[in-house]
Each structure stands twice: as structure tokens, then as C-alpha cells.
Amino acid sequence: VINTIYFEKEIHVPERIMSFMRESSIIMYIIHFRVLDYVTNVGAKYGIFFPNTFVAYLVILLICLLISFCILQLEKIKIFGFLKYSH
């Protein structure tokens, strides 16, 4: 249950989604600076520039979500079990 401050109402979010958000937030916090650096360098190399910072933020957010989702899925495979220590 998430209590919102502005509306004073409770939002019920399934436990599976809350668990994913908790685990992926740790991974995203760790990797977002590296992803930002990579996107900036690749953009400069190939002439890809974002029209504003909000678009760049969305691109970096999507890349980080994709990476964290991949890590969380791969850690379920026995050979990649060490990935569970990333969060």
C-alpha cells in the first residue's frame, strides 16, 4: 500500500511490482551514471543529440529499466546466480 501525500488516498500496488521497483531502483542507481556517460559519448560520436534534457532523461531511464529487467531475469538462471548480489 502506498500512501499518497497530496490526495490522501491509498494506492494498492501488487507485491510483484513493488518487489521489482525495489530491486530495480538499486540497480538503476548504480548504473545510471555509466549509462549517461555512454549515451553522451555515443551521441557525440554519431551526431545524435537530444532536443532537450527531458528526452535524454527518458532515453536513459528506458535503457536503465531494460538493463535492470535483464539482470533481474538472468539472475534466475543458475549460471547467472551471482547477479543477485547486484541489488
Side-chain angles (χ1 to χ4, degrees):
V1 175
I2 298 175
N3 292 323
T4 57
I5 297 170
Y6 299 109
F7 302 115
E8 296 180 8
K9 136 186 208 193
E10 292 182 352
I11 301 172
H12 296 283
V13 179
E15 181 64 32
R16 193 181 92 221
I17 294 174
M18 291 292 287
S19 175
F20 173 75
M21 289 172 53
R22 187 171 39 253
E23 293 169 349
S24 66
S25 69
I26 296 168
I27 296 169
M28 287 174 51
Y29 176 76
I30 294 169
I31 66 170
H32 80 278
F33 286 117
R34 188 70 178 140
V35 171
L36 175 64
D37 184 47
Y38 181 76
V39 168
T40 304
N41 289 339
V42 168
K45 183 177 180 181
Y46 293 107
I48 302 169
F49 297 102
F50 300 105
N52 57 33
T53 56
F54 183 70
V55 175
Y57 169 77
L58 289 178
V59 168
I60 291 167
L61 179 68
L62 286 173
I63 292 171
C64 288
L65 273 173
L66 181 65
I67 291 171
S68 65
F69 179 77
C70 290
I71 288 173
L72 292 174
Q73 293 303 312
L74 283 173
E75 76 180 11
K76 296 175 185 173
I77 301 172
K78 187 175 183 177
I79 197 167
F80 295 111
F82 65 92
L83 289 174
K84 66 183 172 189
Y85 300 113
S86 66
H87 57 87

